[in-house]
Amino acid sequence: MKNLFVYGTLRHVPLLEAVLGKPSDALQIAPAILRDHAVYAVQGQDFPIIKSKAGSAAEGLWLGGLTEADVARLEYYEGGFDYDLAPVHVTLEGAAVLKPAEVFKSEDSAWAPDGPWSLADWQNTYGVAAVFGAVEEMSYFGTRGRAEVDRMLPMIRARAMAKAAAQARNTALSPGGMHRTDVTDVSLRRPYAKYFALEEVDLRFRRYDGSFSEPVERAVFVATDAVILLPYDPVRDRVLLIEQFRMGPFLRGDALPWQLEPIAGRIDAAETAEDTARREAEEEAGLTIGEIHEVAHAYASPGCTTEFYDIYVGIADLPDDVTGVSGLAHEAEDIRSFLFSYEELMQMVDTMQLVNTPLVLAALWLARHRDRLRGTA
């Protein structure tokens, strides 16, 4: 049996439960402090580090009587942060006697302290997503090595942020009155996970007559949330579109796998949708976007994928020389931009030359709001 002191994100009890795979009432937990230490935020990261500091006291939780299996799970999870266990003595709340424990510490000099770290601030920003991420991460415990999971972490966290966003905001109208609590007997398997994931699920759902369905098996392509942005210049009355090679049309057998589309990109962990829109506009077309207008927040194909789109029209300055070839080399992007007048855009909609659904949707939104954006309504 081992005793551990946790000072950072594992103080968030739902996250601790996800990592250990057991409820907190099955654990020995007590508030504790580690003297002559302080907890700091890390520049550019969403987790803290602990450093020696005379006269300070680091707050945390003492976890007592952990089994070898518990410690193995914690080491697997913390392995993604390059931590190692070090022996310490902590003071439990209301107790005068020091308790022996171990704490996850890192000597990584690349992690620069960035002021005090706040558990409450972290919980407000990342708490829900961190639990979703830990559930997926720990599902690989015993089957995938830590190094492999480390390579998957950006996508694990992006998928987790999408799940958190689904809980935080949902404006959909559901006149039937059903809720996710009307789904039961859920059994999930993840036969593939890398950049994207495939999940197979067995479940039963409530029918409109009040009964539950027989067990059904479904497979879902698990993606992240994505931003779609159509740049529009209301002064010149034109838009910028990009063209690039796309695997979907290619594998469908399409003779034209280079596709015209709006600017688009995955929402990374810790990014807002608007942050992503501005970043992708710079990366894919070298554009600085001004005011951003909401077009839609919608699922791409809810019958088979989790992918969710935040679609915008962004105001931009689009002179004749704004086009070119852009993209990130490390993502093997080769993206060319083109300018089209508003009339050309709508002609392409009418003649079915645009085969990108979010682009058609954004173009039709622009048709409805163009006069207002130009100040002529």
Side-chain angles (χ1 to χ4, degrees):
M1 296 289 188
K2 279 193 176 186
N3 305 328
L4 263 62
F5 174 77
V6 294
Y7 59 85
T9 60
L10 288 173
R11 290 170 60 194
H12 183 49
V13 174
L15 177 61
L16 181 65
E17 292 176 326
V19 171
L20 289 175
K22 62 176 66 174
S24 58
D25 57 15
L27 302 169
Q28 299 177 46
I29 301 180
I33 58 172
L34 176 58
R35 299 192 184 281
D36 295 324
H37 285 77
V39 178
Y40 298 94
V42 178
Q43 288 182 6
Q45 303 293 340
D46 58 3
F47 55 84
I49 53 174
I50 194 167
K51 296 286 187 182
S52 298
K53 185 179 182 182
S56 293
E59 297 182 358
L61 296 176
W62 177 82
L63 309 176
L66 296 173
T67 66
E68 289 185 8
D70 293 333
V71 175
R73 291 181 67 92
L74 287 164
E75 288 179 327
Y76 184 81
Y77 181 73
E78 295 288 7
F81 300 97
D82 195 25
Y83 290 153
D84 293 309
L85 283 173
V88 293
H89 284 80
V90 300
T91 303
L92 271 58
E93 186 176 64
V97 179
L98 291 176
K99 283 274 194 179
E102 294 181 72
V103 63
F104 285 105
K105 275 190 170 184
S106 174
E107 301 304 325
D108 191 334
S109 59
W111 290 356
D114 190 23
W117 182 76
S118 167
L119 174 64
D121 290 347
W122 177 87
Q123 287 171 320
N124 288 337
T125 305
Y126 301 108
V128 174
V131 175
F132 283 124
V135 169
E136 178 175 347
E137 203 171 329
M138 296 309 298
S139 73
Y140 306 125
F141 178 67
T143 62
R144 295 193 182 204
R146 185 65 250 179
E148 182 182 1
V149 174
D150 286 349
R151 291 191 293 270
M152 296 166 57
L153 278 179
M155 290 305 297
I156 290 175
R157 290 172 179 166
R159 286 191 286 268
M161 290 295 288
K163 289 178 181 290
Q167 288 196 352
R169 182 192 65 188
N170 192 325
T171 60
L173 174 65
S174 181
M178 301 295 193
H179 188 267
R180 67 178 296 115
T181 54
D182 293 299
V183 181
T184 187
D185 298 333
V186 178
S187 175
L188 185 141
R189 302 169 298 282
R190 192 177 296 112
Y192 173 83
K194 203 168 186 180
Y195 188 84
F196 296 114
L198 177 69
E199 293 184 349
E200 297 173 339
V201 62
D202 299 321
L203 55 78
R204 299 168 66 220
F205 60 89
R206 191 181 301 279
R207 300 170 61 86
Y208 285 110
D209 64 7
S211 66
F212 275 90
S213 70
E214 293 298 315
V216 296
E217 180 182 2
R218 296 290 185 267
V220 177
F221 177 77
V222 182
T224 64
D225 289 1
V227 157
I228 311 292
L229 176 75
L230 176 63
Y232 173 62
D233 184 335
V235 176
R236 299 178 177 88
D237 196 25
R238 61 187 180 188
V239 301
L240 181 141
L241 302 181
I242 62 173
E243 184 183 58
Q244 61 183 315
F245 174 70
R246 285 305 198 186
M247 285 299 300
F250 177 75
L251 291 180
R252 182 174 176 260
D254 201 311
L256 299 174
W258 274 260
Q259 302 260 300
L260 269 182
E261 56 189 47
I263 289 166
R266 182 188 74 233
I267 301 176
D268 290 335
E271 269 192 331
T272 67
E274 290 197 9
D275 288 341
T276 301
R278 296 182 188 281
R279 173 177 59 78
E280 291 289 346
E282 176 63 34
E283 291 176 0
E284 295 192 349
L287 292 181
T288 298
I289 299 298
E291 189 175 5
I292 290 180
H293 300 269
E294 294 179 292
V295 172
H297 305 284
Y299 286 95
S301 182
C304 62
T305 179
T306 65
E307 191 167 32
F308 187 87
Y309 292 154
D310 293 295
I311 307 175
Y312 302 101
V313 165
I315 303 303
D317 181 30
L318 301 177
D320 291 345
D321 61 356
V322 74
T323 58
V325 177
S326 302
L328 299 180
H330 70 271
E331 294 185 6
E333 291 181 330
D334 184 52
I335 301 169
R336 186 173 179 182
S337 52
F338 298 87
L339 292 172
F340 296 92
S341 70
Y342 169 77
E343 294 300 334
E344 289 172 328
L345 176 70
M346 298 316 298
Q347 182 179 19
M348 288 189 292
V349 171
D350 289 341
T351 57
M352 311 296 173
Q353 289 180 288
L354 300 182
V355 294
N356 180 284
T357 301
L359 173 55
V360 174
L361 178 59
L364 294 175
W365 182 94
L366 180 59
R368 181 176 174 85
H369 296 274
R370 171 174 170 250
D371 289 345
R372 174 176 60 84
L373 296 183
R374 303 193 74 201
T376 59

